[in-house]
Amino acid sequence: MIERSYKHYSVKPGTIYLRGGDPNFATPAHIRDAAINAIIEGYTHYAPSAGIPELREAIANYYSKYGIKYDPEQVMVTSGGSPALHMINVAMLDPGDEVLVFDPSFSRYFGEPPTMGASVVPVPLSKTGFHLDADDLNDRVTKKSKMIVLCNPNNPTGTVYTKDELRAISDIAIDNDIMVVSDEFYSEFVYDDKDHLSISAMEGMSERTFVLVGGTKMFNFTGWRLASLIIPKKYYKVVEKKTKYIGVRPATFIQRAGTEAFNAMSTKYGQAVMKEHRDEYDRRRTFFCKRMDKIDGIECHTFDGAFYAYPDVTSFGIPVSKFVDDLEREEGVLVGNGEGHGGVSVIGNKSIAYGHIRPALVQDVDVLEDAADRIERFTKNLSK
Ligand SMILES: Cc1ncc(COP(=O)(O)O)c(C=O)c1O
């Protein structure tokens, strides 16, 4: 039985919050207990700057499920995924570099590189099913291409990349000596007969792939601020040197709890807890995506991974920002603006993300049902 938790600062009473990727699940009890015990036992001192050794080892061990044995010394513990992405950008990008980003994908990938003087080159995911056509990537590679950023499973489209797609990306990366950032935050949330594969496990890729390993979403500790980065050996020292003063490490007792969380993934208990969460997300997506798709004027695919729906509301002919604001004001349903997850100038002068909202399925099915009813009423009023 999954425990719920509703102490969420962004949620206003009377509204339905589907905006951020912050599930209404409590952090599992065995992880909470580990944090409390760590405080009681005195794990209250500074942690080593790359993270406590037992957590780095637990993450390297967890990753061996993909058939790669990383050295714990390649793992850097971070205060969540956002600092991890920031650290890669600070350490690896120079002014003038180009970063290839699949479009749509997580908003931060589009915003960060320009802060380093690098530019983002959006690579459109085909409109059918948001998968990759390798030519679309190949055609955008130049001598300045430094990095490909991949979110697998993808936020916001839920795409789970196939082996062929990952092979195609790997071939392009190897042929053109480009590094890859593989953000695998949602790797545990993959449905039906889909498998999550890691690009770092493909031949020739572990030495050029930075992997973002979850924490935040996997174990429902969004507010705990714990994630990690696996760094290719040859780049480790550069990352260490260039991010030395960023100081974004989680508290020592949080890292002890993280150790419990990752170690439990090799036990039946930890696997059962994860399955319970995956099954619940599966119920939510099966209900909500089908329900959205039935609303006149909305097209909504049933996603394969992560926990975001990505309905297309273009047909209503109003800007998505207005759709989102009016929906909040009139019906009290808060959804994300899916356009924030897109690049620009991909199809004509429009991003492929154009016209999408992004409800995060972070509430129970009965609440999602209520949200869907309200969205339907809202769209009927729009069509009048
Ligand atoms: C794909 C992806 N990567 C990274 C992050 C950032 O995670 P954090 O909240 O740990 O900073 C998110 C958050 O939504 C995400 O969806």
Side-chain angles (χ1 to χ4, degrees):
M1 175 71 178
I2 307 174
E3 279 179 77
R4 305 304 199 256
S5 154
Y6 296 102
K7 305 263 186 266
H8 188 321
Y9 284 97
S10 302
V11 180
K12 295 182 219 144
T15 61
I16 301 181
Y17 184 82
L18 308 178
R19 187 159 285 163
D22 194 348
N24 66 337
F25 302 140
T27 308
H30 67 111
I31 303 174
R32 298 195 313 253
D33 288 346
I36 293 162
N37 289 336
I39 295 175
I40 294 169
E41 287 163 17
Y43 287 95
T44 49
H45 299 274
Y46 287 129
S49 58
I52 59 173
E54 55 271 41
L55 175 56
R56 297 172 80 192
E57 191 176 347
I59 292 168
N61 287 344
Y62 166 74
Y63 220 73
S64 60
K65 72 176 181 158
Y66 295 104
I68 319 175
K69 189 69 195 99
Y70 278 113
D71 185 337
E73 306 251 301
Q74 291 178 256
V75 178
M76 222 178 239
V77 175
T78 63
S79 293
S82 307
L85 283 167
H86 184 60
M87 286 161 75
I88 301 172
N89 280 278
V90 167
M92 306 315 302
L93 293 183
D94 295 306
D97 287 342
E98 289 178 358
V99 181
L100 295 143
V101 179
F102 297 109
D103 181 13
S105 55
F106 183 44
S107 51
R108 200 169 259 274
Y109 311 153
F110 297 96
E112 273 241 35
T115 65
M116 300 296 138
S119 54
V120 169
V121 179
V123 180
L125 295 177
S126 79
K127 195 84 174 129
T128 333
F130 298 106
H131 276 274
L132 176 70
D133 178 337
D135 289 341
D136 282 331
L137 176 58
N138 221 356
D139 291 350
R140 286 165 176 78
V141 171
T142 71
K143 290 213 164 3
K144 294 182 189 163
S145 304
K146 176 73 115 8
M147 195 184 267
I148 297 170
V149 184
L150 173 73
C151 189
N152 182 27
N154 191 24
N155 169 10
T157 63
T159 309
V160 177
Y161 290 90
T162 64
K163 196 170 190 177
D164 287 348
E165 285 172 300
L166 296 178
R167 189 65 265 165
I169 298 167
S170 304
D171 289 346
I172 292 169
I174 292 168
D175 289 350
N176 297 282
D177 195 17
I178 302 174
M179 55 186 96
V180 170
V181 174
S182 183
D183 183 340
E184 303 182 7
F185 250 46
Y186 300 93
S187 59
E188 292 293 336
F189 306 126
V190 166
Y191 314 102
D192 298 332
D193 54 350
K194 299 286 182 301
D195 265 338
H196 177 257
L197 306 170
S198 175
I199 195 166
S200 60
M202 320 248 5
E203 206 185 326
M205 289 306 288
S206 65
E207 56 262 40
R208 63 175 65 247
T209 307
F210 292 75
V211 190
L212 249 84
V213 184
T216 315
K217 318 281 179 175
M218 273 167 72
F219 306 119
N220 316 316
F221 47 44
T222 47
W224 294 49
R225 312 311 301 139
L226 172 68
S228 66
L229 192 55
I230 303 182
I231 302 170
K233 275 194 176 143
K234 67 175 170 187
Y235 297 125
Y236 190 89
K237 286 244 170 300
V238 182
V239 178
E240 189 176 52
K241 188 169 162 213
K242 293 208 179 169
T243 62
K244 199 170 167 185
Y245 298 110
I246 293 182
V248 285
R249 311 288 182 242
T252 309
F253 53 87
I254 301 277
Q255 296 195 39
R256 288 285 296 178
T259 309
E260 161 64 25
F262 278 101
N263 279 340
M265 291 302 289
S266 63
T267 67
K268 278 197 180 142
Y269 178 74
Q271 284 293 327
V273 172
M274 190 56 78
K275 182 175 180 319
E276 237 187 330
H277 287 82
R278 188 183 309 116
D279 289 349
E280 173 58 20
Y281 282 133
D282 191 6
R283 265 192 292 282
R284 294 177 183 187
R285 94 181 161 121
T286 310
F287 163 73
F288 192 77
C289 296
K290 290 201 168 70
R291 175 72 179 84
M292 280 288 106
D293 201 44
K294 282 197 185 122
I295 297 176
D296 277 348
I298 293 187
E299 270 180 51
C300 185
H301 70 288
T302 299
F303 58 87
D304 292 325
F307 49 70
Y308 302 97
Y310 199 54
D312 186 339
V313 297
T314 320
S315 74
F316 298 103
I318 58 169
V320 173
S321 53
K322 182 168 167 50
F323 187 104
V324 167
D325 289 349
D326 290 355
L327 178 64
E328 177 175 354
R329 201 183 46 254
E330 289 173 29
E331 293 289 350
V333 180
L334 282 72
V335 296
N337 180 339
E339 291 183 354
H341 297 270
V344 287
S345 303
V346 175
I347 298 174
N349 62 357
K350 284 186 185 130
S351 160
I352 197 169
Y354 177 75
H356 288 261
I357 56 171
R358 194 207 65 169
L361 305 191
V362 292
Q363 308 292 343
D364 292 339
V365 169
D366 57 333
V367 179
L368 293 176
E369 203 167 352
D370 186 5
D373 292 345
R374 296 188 199 193
I375 293 172
E376 183 163 45
R377 189 164 55 212
F378 172 74
T379 55
K380 276 189 179 144
N381 288 337
L382 277 181
S383 311
K384 272 181 195 161

